[in-house]
């Protein structure tokens, strides 16, 4: 997708601190971390948000979620816990319109979120 910053990260056109990559997904550190651990997981294929994910791509969503869990465990967050966030649309605060899960942890989270 032309001009999409996360497509550019997926295509290695702009740098990011990669945490994981396979054929379908890529995980990298957030440039402006909100906690000691803040990782973004995206599909390499461009979808603007959850709203645009077609039914037949449901497996991609579980891959992203399970990979977030694996990274959380690898980073030592399994016991204390962590948060996975999927902002969807303007009111959620979504700023980058290429679907991404935030994996956030390493500190106590507040609820409700702002
Ligand atoms: P959103 O508000 O769309 O859910 O979250 C977008 C996230 O992407 C933010 O946490 C922001 O810090 C992160 N971000 C924006 N631009 C870049 C970038 O160029 N590189 C990286 N690694 N993260 C980015
Ligand atoms: Zn994109």
């Amino acid at each position: 997708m032309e001009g999409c910053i996360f497509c550019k990260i997926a295509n290695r056109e702009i740098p990011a601190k990669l945490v994981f990559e396979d054929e379908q997904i890529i995980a990298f550190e957030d440039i402006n971390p909100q906690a000691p651990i803040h990782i973004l997981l995206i599909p390499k294929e461009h979808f603007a948000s959850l709203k645009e994910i077609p039914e037949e791509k449901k497996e991609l969503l579980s891959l992203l979620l399970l990979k977030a869990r694996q990274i959380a465990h690898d980073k030592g967050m399994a016991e204390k816990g962590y948060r996975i966030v999927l902002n969807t649309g303007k009111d959620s605060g979504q700023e980058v319109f290429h679907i991404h899960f935030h994996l956030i942890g390493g500190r106590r989270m507040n609820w409700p979120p702002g």
Side-chain angles (χ1 to χ4, degrees), residues 15-28:
K17 289 185 183 164
L18 293 199
V19 175
F20 173 81
E21 177 173 19
D22 68 11
E23 276 185 10
Q24 294 188 80
I25 72 185
I26 188 163
F28 51 94

Side-chain angles (χ1 to χ4, degrees), residues 58-102:
K58 59 187 171 195
E59 201 177 311
L60 190 55
L61 293 174
S62 27
L63 281 176
L64 287 160
L65 213 40
L66 292 174
K67 184 53 68 180
R69 179 181 70 175
Q70 190 195 315
I71 294 170
H73 289 212
D74 292 348
K75 297 276 182 190
M77 300 193 290
E79 196 184 323
K80 282 194 161 179
Y82 49 88
R83 184 171 288 171
I84 294 169
V85 173
L86 177 57
N87 289 327
T88 305
K90 264 187 281 162
D91 267 6
S92 74
Q94 186 179 0
E95 286 179 349
V96 177
F97 281 82
H98 179 131
I99 188 172
H100 52 279
F101 284 94
H102 296 254

